[in-house]
Amino acid sequence: GSNDATQATDTNQPKIAESGSLLADGIDFDGSDDFLQTNNGVSIISSTDLSFFTVYKPDVTDAILTVLSQEDGTGTGRGWISLRGNADISSFIGGTGKVLFSGGSTTNETLTSIIFDDSASTLDGFKNSVSGTQATSVNMEAASGQINIGEGKSSNERFDGSMKEIIIYTSDQTANRFKIESNINNYYGLY
């Protein structure tokens, strides 16, 4: 797309290479001060459908880690994909946490897909293509802030681990989910 994520502060850049070679596990975030951010805000209105497909491998499971979030803009911002202590996979679309998987994450490489359908007011999560608990009566908050990779809004809940893939659609990709997940799985051999 057109919203490349960058990090201008050298000390906050996640590691992508070591000894002249790209890291095999993807981009490595240290959980302390590393994150990436889009240069421009992405406008999300209350009637926007969203779909996220991410491949990540946390280094820890006993901390609160945010994979993907949006900064405050015209709305309050939110953690779109978040690993909550005890390794729950949650989303804070709409402002309040929706647990999609209890004890759902490990330090294994994982493909997590989350699809928000505005017309049905539902949030569906999938871990390695297996459906989790559906959240219902979900209302999107309008926002236009920058997208954070590896950081929760307001400089907290930084991700500790590596990421290989992040795909964001401002549309409902339910009809294409299996194809997208299969393509990602075939490339990385996750499950």
Side-chain angles (χ1 to χ4, degrees):
S2 59
N3 288 300
D4 294 331
T6 61
Q7 177 52 262
T9 306
D10 289 347
T11 58
N12 293 357
Q13 292 174 353
K15 186 192 252 185
I16 63 170
E18 189 167 62
S19 301
S21 298
L22 290 176
L23 296 175
D25 286 337
I27 299 173
D28 187 26
F29 295 80
D30 67 6
S32 172
D33 57 5
D34 294 354
F35 68 98
L36 297 171
Q37 192 172 63
T38 59
N39 291 327
N40 300 313
V42 175
S43 181
I44 303 296
I45 58 174
S46 58
S47 61
T48 301
D49 289 338
L50 293 169
S51 300
F52 310 107
F53 299 87
T54 61
V55 175
Y56 56 84
K57 181 181 178 188
D59 289 338
V60 297
T61 58
D62 59 350
I64 297 175
L65 309 173
T66 299
V67 175
L68 193 60
S69 71
Q70 185 168 17
E71 282 289 319
D72 289 336
T74 57
T76 59
R78 79 241 0 147
W80 284 339
I81 301 174
S82 186
L83 309 179
R84 313 305 287 173
N86 299 327
D88 291 344
I89 298 174
S90 302
S91 183
F92 285 75
I93 286 175
T96 58
K98 286 86 178 165
V99 175
L100 302 171
F101 293 93
S102 257
S105 184
T106 67
T107 55
N108 295 331
E109 201 165 57
T110 303
L111 166 61
T112 296
S113 309
I114 296 179
I115 299 175
F116 171 69
D117 178 350
D118 176 68
S119 62
S121 296
T122 58
L123 186 67
D124 291 298
F126 302 87
K127 184 182 90 170
N128 294 335
S129 202
V130 176
S131 180
T133 303
Q134 182 184 67
T136 57
S137 301
V138 178
N139 296 310
M140 175 65 73
E141 297 171 324
S144 61
Q146 296 169 305
I147 305 299
N148 297 321
I149 299 170
E151 176 182 62
K153 73 172 208 164
S154 306
S155 304
N156 58 8
E157 302 177 4
R158 295 227 167 100
F159 186 75
D160 186 359
S162 59
M163 294 185 210
K164 286 185 176 177
E165 189 90 41
I166 296 176
I167 303 171
I168 304 170
Y169 294 95
T170 53
S171 59
D172 181 344
Q173 292 295 314
T174 299
N176 299 316
R177 180 186 64 81
F178 180 75
K179 290 184 235 177
I180 296 167
E181 289 175 341
S182 294
N183 184 49
I184 292 169
N185 183 48
N186 289 341
Y187 187 82
Y188 295 113
L190 300 171
Y191 53 92

